[in-house]
Structure formats: C-alpha cells, structure tokens
Amino acid sequence: MNDLIIYNTLTRKKEQFIPINYPHVGLYVCGPTVYGDPHLGHARPAITFDILYRYLQHLGYKVRYVRNITDVGHLENDADEGEDKISKKARLEQMEPMEIAQYYTFRYHDSMRLLNVKNPGIEPRASGHIIEQINMIEEILKNGYGYEVNGSVYFDVEKYNKKYNYGKLSGRILEDLIANTRDLDGQDEKKNSFDFALWKKASPGHIMRWPSPWSEGFPGWHLECSAMSTKYLGEEFDIHGGGMDLQFPHHECEIAQSTAANGKESVKYWVHNNMITINGQKMGKSLGNFINLEEFFTGSHKLLEKSYSPMTVRFFIMQAHYRSTVDFSNEALQSAEKGMARLITATETLNKLKPSDKSTVNINELKDKCYQAMNDDMNTPILISHLFDGVRIINSIDAGTESISGSDLDLLKKIYNDFVFEILGLTSEQAKGNNLAFSGVVDLMLNLRMEAKARKDFRTSDKIRNELQALGIIVKDKKDGFDWEYNG
Ligand code: ZN
C-alpha cells in the first residue's frame, strides 16, 4: 500500500514499515509525568507522534494510539530513590496528589489542543492500572527475573542478561554499567545498583500507596508502560515512541520487563525524537531558560521578544527532522512565523485560482515528492521545502506566468489540504496569528476603503490604509480588489 520507511532505534536502521496485523497499527507513546506546567519538552514528542499518527491514518491504517499519563511512581532520580515527583509537588502546594495530577493533566490537554495535537484513542493513567502492574510483577517473579526484599520487588538485571540482552536499545553493555555504577552502600536492598524497582514498599509518610502481595506501596515508574501497552495493544505491537531521553533507563527497562513477563520482544519499531535546546543551551530550571508553553503563547518570559502562536511553535518544530535537535531562538521563531504565513497565504491564493485549458506546471511530480519526503522516515523539513516550491507555482499561476488545468488544480488543492492541514496539522486561523472575527473586521474596513476610493474620497481611503498599516496590516491593492497580510 505504501513505502513508509521508519528509523528503528532498536536496530539502528531505516526499515520498511510492515504492521504486525494489517491494516491495524498499535502505537504507544510515553506521555507526561503530570507535576508541572507543559513546556517545549512536552511539545516535541507530542507533535512528532501526532504527525506519525496523522500520516498512518492518511495512508489508510487503523491506528490504536495509546499515550499514557504518569501519575505515580516517577521518583526524583533514576536510582529508585527520592520522593515521588507528584507527591512532592502535592506536599509543597498542600494539595492531594490526585489534585496535582488532575490539574496538570488538564493543563497538558489545553496546550495540546492549542498545538492542534490530536487526542490519543486511549489515555491510560498509571494509578488506574495498579492491578495490571501487580499481575505483571507476579509473572516476572514466576519466571525468575525478580526478587523481593523487605516488601519491595526488584528486577534482576544480571540474571535477565544471561538469557536476553539488557542494553540492546540504548547500546549500553552490562559490564560497563557494572564498572560505572557506585558501590552499594549497606542500606541498599538491591543485589546490584543497576537493578530497578518493580514495587516499592511505602515509607510511613508516603501518601500514594496501594495494597499488594508484598507490601503497601507503589509500582516502579517503568512498569506502567509495560503493563498498559500489553493491556491495550497486546504482547506484541508495532510502534513505541518517546523522547530520546527516555531510551535509558525507561525504555530499556520496559523491554526487559515485557520480555521477562511474556517471554518475547514486545515492540517491533522503537521511534525516538531528539531534544530541544534554547539559544544553544540545554533547557533547565537552574539555567533560567526554562520556558513553558503558555509563556511562548503570551510572550511573558524575559527571554522572549514577543509572543509566538501555538502554530508557530508547531511549524518551527516540524521544520527540523524529528531525529535532529531543535534550537529555539527569537530569530528562528520569527523566521518560522514568516515562512508559515507565506505557506498559509498560498493556500488561500490557491482557492482563488482559475483553471485554464492546459497546464504548464507538473503537479503530479510535486505530489510524488511530498509522499517521498514523508515516507522517508517522516522527513517534514524536506516536505515543507517541496510545499514552498509549490507556493512558487501557485504564485506564478496567480500572476498569470503559468497556467493550470481544472484537474491539475483539483489535485493541487488536494495536495495542500492533505499535507498542510491534515498531515502537518496546521490551522489557518491560528497560523495567521488572528481569528475569523479579526479577518472579518479587516475585510470590512478594506471594503469601506474600496467604496471610499470609488467615490474618489481619497482622504478616507488613505486614512484606512495608513492606520491599518500602523497596526501591522499590510494592504496590497490588486486589479479586482485587495489582499492583506498581518505581521503583528
Ligand atoms: Zn513510558
């Protein structure tokens, strides 16, 4: 049906995408740990896998898309120590942990809606799947890959590695892990420091706790994704996605857990998006460059020269290939904003084009190139460059230097509708940095100006043009009317 090629992190190769159970596709993406405002680090995986989801659907696959909410078990560090991130926030805010999780889940949903990220088909919460996680621990224990100490259960990495390969995804070798990890202090319950928690016994002050065969406690962070992906997508499914920062330990541990419980590899294609930097620096609270999404949308952070619409952020992220890093700067965002406006304006021009008897342009070639770009591991920057080639074609037809037949014009409209709106998920109202009411008011003013001109009232017509210009609205007079652009 198609020639979609995906880079598989597990094999480190580009592979032809062949679903396990055609035409069904199982897609699991690690969602947010809900204890803080959504930021760029949330936007990139959400947008990357939104495009994959949209494209698979466009190709005709029936996709079951699961993106989880982590609301328990994600501790402050990866060594299974420290406070639960949600518990800690709840303690600081004097709220229930579930109030924190709910509040930030709503905040996350609001941002995703603004970014035009589609909802997943299922959004399971870790805290709603404690029974499934306990069942999986029991399987792992039964198969001999876990051990219990004082009410906590740990995964036996060394034993697992004798039969399977721990580190295959991240490329880490167990011997190196042994050499590089600190010696266990007397307090540690684990056999080896690289073993990870499947279940932790809750300390007396720990609020989030559930009964289990081993103790009152809570599941380890990695377990939820193994348990919930198995529940909703089966023991084997097609695609597992997430940010590159999750490769180790999170995804490595997921592979180990699922394999230890089910006796086989669960994921066919592992897909990871690269990270985001701001002005060339890693994003971090201590660096003062930690900008959340709302601050981008309102321009309220001191590093931002102005506000950037959700569509500008979306378009900017898509201008880089998902496996490359993206560096955010005011300059780069402003050029993305201009580029996107040019693209959206062209889609509006396209709707006004008139067909001729024959075409002097090759629209089939443009279509093939767009599909080739997306089929080549979702190469959105190349796709966007082809769409800009198309903008030149549209503008030449509009200027009368090229012509297009009726059937080619229909095809050209379909290409822009499919790729710009359906697959890249841009929306024209937001992309223009305004809304329908705003456009309507500008059109109304410009119609009044045309009427003033018609009755030779040039004082009024110039006044309208100049004052609109002062507001950032550039008016272009045309033979049969006007056109305008907003550069606010
Ligand atoms: Zn996960």
Side-chain angles (χ1 to χ4, degrees), residues 28-31 68 70 221-226 228 240-242 246 250-251 254 270:
Y28 187 95
V29 174
C30 290
N68 69 303
T70 297
W221 169 38
H222 316 305
L223 191 60
E224 59 174 285
C225 292
S226 290
M228 298 189 298
H240 192 314
L246 294 178
H250 186 56
H251 291 161
E254 273 189 48
W270 280 91

Side-chain angles (χ1 to χ4, degrees), residues 53-69:
Y53 180 41
R54 285 165 178 272
Y55 191 54
L56 288 168
Q57 287 183 314
H58 175 78
L59 294 176
Y61 291 113
K62 306 226 172 311
V63 188
R64 183 176 293 167
Y65 179 16
V66 183
R67 190 185 67 207
N68 69 303
I69 294 283

